[in-house]
Amino acid sequence: MSENPSINTPTKKITINDREYDIDVPENMPLLWFLRDRLELTGTKFGCGKALCGACTVHVDGEATRSCVIPVGALAGRSITTIEGLSDSDEHPLQKAWLEVGVPQCGYCQAGQIMNAASLLKRNTSPSEQEIETAMQGNICRCGTYQRIKKAISVAADELAKEVS
Amino acid sequence: MRPDIEGFLKAERTRQAEALEQTTLQLSLDRRQFLKVSGLAAGGLFVGVSLPNTSIADTKATVFNPNAFIHLQENGDVLIYCGRCEMGQGISTALPSVVADEMEADWSFVRVEQAEGDQDKFGSQATGGSASIRTMYEPMRKAGASAKDMLIAAAAKVWNTSSDNCYAKQHFVYHKGNDNKLSYGELAPIAASMEVPEAPTLKAATDFNYVGKALPRHDVGMVISGKRTYGVDVKVPGMQYAAIVHCPVMGGTLRSLDKTEALKVPGVTAVVEIAPLKVPFGSLGGVAVVADNSWTAQQGVSKLKIEWDRGEHGSYDTDAYMGELIKNVEKPAEKIAERGDVENAFKNAAKTVSATYTEGHLVHAPMEPNASVVAVHDNHCEVWASTQSPDDIQSVLSGFLGMDKKQIKVNVMICGGAFGRKFKCDYVQEAAAISKAVGTPIQLTWTREEDTKTGYYHSNSAQHIKASLDENNNVTGWLHRIAFPSINTLFDPSVQFAPANAVSEIESHPFGVTNLRSESGLAPAHTRIGWYRAVYAIFWGLGFGVFADELAETAGVDTVTMLNRLYDANKNPEQAELVARSKAVLALAAEKSGFGKALPEGEGLGIAVHYSFQTYVAMAVHVRMKGDDFEVVRVDNAVDCGQVLNKDGAAAQQEGAVAMGISLSKYCEVTFKDGAVVNGNFDDYPVMRITDMPEVRTHFIESDAAPTGLGEPGMAPFAPALVNAIYQASGKRYRSLPIQPLRT
Ligand code: FES
Ligand code: FES
């Protein structure tokens, strides 16, 4: 990796999937590339690099964020969750619903879709179809799995409702 | 383990150890030679189904490896290779499930792996033309069935009876006369010494366990946990990362390059000029920057100072070009085919109708941009690529690197979408050029902008159709002129007109018109043209589908009536099946969509049928106007793809075709100015989002005809059905797509 420009100041830290890492790359490197090329966490995908497609969506302190445009240096001390850390053994209700509905085609956009949907369900446990569409419109799927994404989010929301009651 | 087979196993192991030694010896021979020596045809008999039962690919002596596709372990685990490339169409579930079904394997013991590039072993791996199911279904059945026959023969040997007294079911072979059974794992080593049957016993359709059902994809679990590895995700030791900027114009050249600033970026290790490689699927030419991560490489590229000589296509302007295409189809063009006497039909017509339809260039824009890892060594090269055609990678790299195809190992990675783009391996050849220059493995990932600007574009097109009707509103004459730069130009730049075989769709279309003429208009290419999901069927579907609706209006009948009239007029016995199956999907889509029922103001239901890639699809599209904009409410599509192998996967392909159909009908168009592509990212090349997604309902014709593919056929009928629906809802006829072009 490149030399850290802030070599004389104490190394900043970032927490990713509950593990702490040194930010040992140029601070203006977008989080996406720190994840993919430095930590080799490749579940988070590159689609556009300009916050236009959602393929790179991760959680920053629980909230869906496009990792391709946010410099890793700005996230010192923050806690990041990627698809690899969403659940311990793929038992997040959304992951289960994704399996049940058979959402993915090529699958490339799906980590971003799931991370964004997870953030939605945190804010709103029973979103309407309209609310799902509004929340998910930043995530492109070129394969066209949108119908199943909507369905799977509803299935997961129902599951959550059952767990609560 | 049962004691009665212990003895067999011991003998088997000795025999296999000997066989293994033999195999190792044989492997030093040329592979083809070996196959000849052992008296087994390689190329002649399809896809390695006839490979010798001594294991070549796997050296584990306890593995039953009846052919290239199946590896059965002693513990019962089965590894099944998928020879065709996966890009989201589900082929790596569909084909292995056929193997497993015929083999009577229990799917829960099956693991699927993508085969590396090796056409001698796996048959053609080039994945396109919706051909995988069509061409591989029977060979995969035979591969599975021969394994089953050998397992049965093995059990028969153990029980000292004949195979007829045994049957296989879900990973066991049973004795018909008593309650003995042996598991596949137990039988594996014995089966390995059984003869490969020449004509394996295929199942009756009623006995299928997986075929025809909605078997879940084998890889969904990996996808939802972020563990599915695409070309863009591959990491190999010592690898460096590269980014690239291409010459913006086909045929342009590098005039000057100043790399000083790029080399100053910390982490950048090299700048590599990539010369254009003038073979199909070779690089267009560009400049790459190598660094210790992709982002730094991209930063380096942005610091390059480059001047290009744009060359002979430097004035390509798609608006002006479209004007030319329209002119060229609204006047006589090169005659391709004629039957009857069109002029006479027009002279005697009660009415004539004519219309011109146009569509722009499209770029594939899969979510994963072009990416691969290539490691060039002295005498060999290893590739990890998202690809639709490993064999083309081997061909192009063998020419470029001066190596034998066998020295190029291609690890086939799943494509994060491809749609035809990843058939062409320019991005892999570039990675090879960089690896060769810097001496380390290279991962080259294109940016979205490069992906958009350096494509192999779907042809832009203009077509003009004129038809005559008699006083009973029967269609008597049909003149169809089309102009589009064809894919042939990629292989022969001197091609100026779409050739006869690219235009034959007109004369072979199942509409029955006695007097018909097809013509091809002047359309030279000024950029690289390539296959895009459904290829030319996109504009054939639009032309035939919308014009049928216009004819219906002229005749004062509904579109379904007009379509049936056109089909019924076809008296060519050779097209009887084509007509019957087209009519059947039309009827099913009409019925399921409630075609003909009154709709509220501002709503419309359009319908269109298209036969492509040997599959029949009719779509009924229901739209609701929202001012000038519209919303697609529901799509009912009826499909006849013969026997359906996987209902869920098939439906997914149809949903995908609708989504891509909405994108191309409503938004997508690549425009060129001064020879270069104007669009760059999803802001100026918008594609449809979840807010545009209608309810898609897929209805299959029950059929036991040979199965055909679905990767593309859903594309063609969507756009015309949409255009027809909007016309019904609003009175506005969109003859030029996209409906909402974005002008930058
Ligand atoms: S890669 Fe970040 S939004 Fe597209
Ligand atoms: S599944 Fe392929 S892009 Fe969404």
Side-chain angles (χ1 to χ4, degrees), chain B residues 12 16 53 64 72 147 150-151 154 187-195:
Chain B
E12 262 327 297
Q16 293 217 356
N53 61 355
F64 172 45
L72 172 62
M150 290 163 79
L151 287 158
L187 289 168
I190 308 161
S193 64
M194 297 295 124
E195 222 171 288

Side-chain angles (χ1 to χ4, degrees), chain A residues 45-49 51-56 66 68:
Chain A
K45 301 299 188 212
F46 166 60
C48 70
L52 298 166
C53 77
C56 64
R66 276 100 185 272
C68 67

Side-chain angles (χ1 to χ4, degrees), chain B residues 83-291:
Chain B
R84 293 293 181 124
C85 306
E86 179 64 80
M87 51 189 133
Q89 83 281 37
I91 201 68
S92 64
T93 300
L95 292 179
S97 75
V98 173
V99 175
D101 206 328
E102 284 289 357
M103 188 181 164
E104 267 301 325
D106 177 338
W107 187 247
S108 63
F109 287 100
V110 172
R111 184 165 59 88
V112 173
E113 263 188 34
Q114 193 67 46
E116 66 175 61
D118 189 341
Q119 302 222 122
D120 288 348
K121 204 162 146 186
F122 298 103
S124 169
Q125 293 173 284
T127 308
S130 302
S132 296
I133 297 284
R134 210 164 65 223
T135 58
M136 298 301 284
Y137 178 58
E138 283 302 318
M140 290 300 93
R141 290 185 71 183
K142 288 185 184 147
S146 59
K148 181 182 64 193
D149 282 357
M150 290 163 79
L151 287 158
I152 290 175
K157 192 171 170 186
V158 174
W159 292 324
N160 200 11
T161 182
S162 88
S163 286
D164 291 344
N165 290 331
C166 312
Y167 68 96
K169 194 151 187 62
Q170 291 291 292
H171 248 70
F172 284 92
V173 177
Y174 294 85
H175 196 301
K176 284 181 189 166
N178 53 43
D179 50 11
N180 281 349
K181 64 172 183 176
L182 286 167
S183 76
Y184 275 14
E186 289 172 302
L187 289 168
I190 308 161
S193 64
M194 297 295 124
E195 222 171 288
V196 182
E198 276 193 11
T201 332
L202 299 182
K203 279 185 170 180
T206 43
D207 293 337
F208 282 131
N209 300 315
Y210 314 122
V211 172
K213 313 280 163 31
L215 190 70
R217 287 261 304 260
H218 77 93
D219 52 353
V220 181
M222 285 188 283
V223 169
I224 58 162
S225 54
K227 292 189 194 86
R228 193 74 157 106
T229 309
Y230 302 77
V232 76
D233 298 328
V234 172
K235 310 278 178 194
V236 305
M239 182 182 98
Q240 297 194 83
Y241 297 82
I244 192 167
V245 61
H246 293 91
C247 178
V249 186
M250 177 175 76
T253 48
L254 186 66
R255 185 193 301 158
S256 71
L257 166 66
D258 178 354
K259 46 188 171 185
T260 328
E261 293 303 311
L263 285 169
K264 281 187 197 154
V265 176
V268 168
T269 60
V271 173
V272 181
E273 276 178 44
I274 311 285
L277 182 69
K278 305 226 162 162
V279 301
F281 314 157
S283 173
L284 201 57
V287 184
V289 173
V290 182

Side-chain angles (χ1 to χ4, degrees), chain A residues 37 45 52 105-106 147-148, chain B residues 217 230 233 294 689 696:
Chain A
D37 290 358
K45 301 299 188 212
L52 298 166
Q105 287 188 34
C106 82
Q147 173 165 314
R148 294 176 188 224
Chain B
R217 287 261 304 260
Y230 302 77
D233 298 328
S294 297
R689 290 170 184 271
V696 179

Side-chain angles (χ1 to χ4, degrees), chain B residues 85-86 114-117 125 383-385 387 390 410-414:
Chain B
C85 306
E86 179 64 80
Q114 193 67 46
E116 66 175 61
Q125 293 173 284
V383 174
W384 295 259
T387 180
V410 180
N411 302 286
V412 177
M413 312 305 296
I414 180 178

Side-chain angles (χ1 to χ4, degrees), chain A residues 1-3 25-30 33-55 66 68 83-86 88 90 92 94-96 98-111 113-114 129-130 132-150 153, chain B residues 86-90 216-217 219-221 223-230 232-235 241 266-268 292-296 298-299 363-369 414-417 419 443 445-449 532-533 647-649 651-653 655-657 659-660 663-664 668 681-683 685 687-697:
Chain A
M1 279 294 122
S2 315
E3 237 169 76
V25 298
E27 286 194 12
N28 56 346
M29 176 186 284
W33 299 108
F34 181 68
L35 293 171
R36 288 184 55 80
D37 290 358
R38 179 75 186 96
L39 304 184
E40 302 195 354
L41 286 171
T42 54
T44 306
K45 301 299 188 212
F46 166 60
C48 70
K50 290 203 172 144
L52 298 166
C53 77
R66 276 100 185 272
C68 67
I83 187 73
E84 291 94 340
L86 180 65
D88 285 338
D90 312 338
H92 189 284
L94 281 166
Q95 288 170 314
K96 286 198 275 185
W98 243 246
L99 269 174
E100 185 187 322
V101 176
V103 177
Q105 287 188 34
C106 82
Y108 194 78
C109 71
Q110 301 290 340
Q113 306 276 8
I114 292 172
E129 185 173 349
Q130 177 92 49
I132 291 174
E133 288 190 5
T134 307
M136 298 300 293
Q137 65 181 334
N139 289 70
I140 296 174
C141 174
R142 263 301 256 173
C143 297
T145 63
Y146 299 121
Q147 173 165 314
R148 294 176 188 224
I149 289 171
K150 284 199 260 184
I153 295 174
Chain B
E86 179 64 80
M87 51 189 133
Q89 83 281 37
R217 287 261 304 260
D219 52 353
V220 181
V223 169
I224 58 162
S225 54
K227 292 189 194 86
R228 193 74 157 106
T229 309
Y230 302 77
V232 76
D233 298 328
V234 172
K235 310 278 178 194
Y241 297 82
V268 168
D292 55 7
N293 66 79
S294 297
W295 176 74
T296 299
Q298 289 168 17
Q299 300 304 104
V363 69
H364 309 77
M367 287 312 295
E368 178 199 33
I414 180 178
C415 300
F419 314 122
Q443 177 173 82
T445 304
W446 288 20
T447 58
R448 174 58 52 194
E449 286 76 7
Y532 177 103
R533 186 181 193 177
K647 287 221 160 92
D648 191 56
Q653 283 306 299
E655 291 156 27
M660 196 161 268
S663 285
L664 76 86
C668 292
N681 210 317
F682 292 119
D683 48 355
Y685 189 76
V687 296
M688 70 93 82
R689 290 170 184 271
I690 199 167
T691 40
D692 279 324
M693 190 69 196
E695 181 194 357
V696 179
R697 307 197 310 183

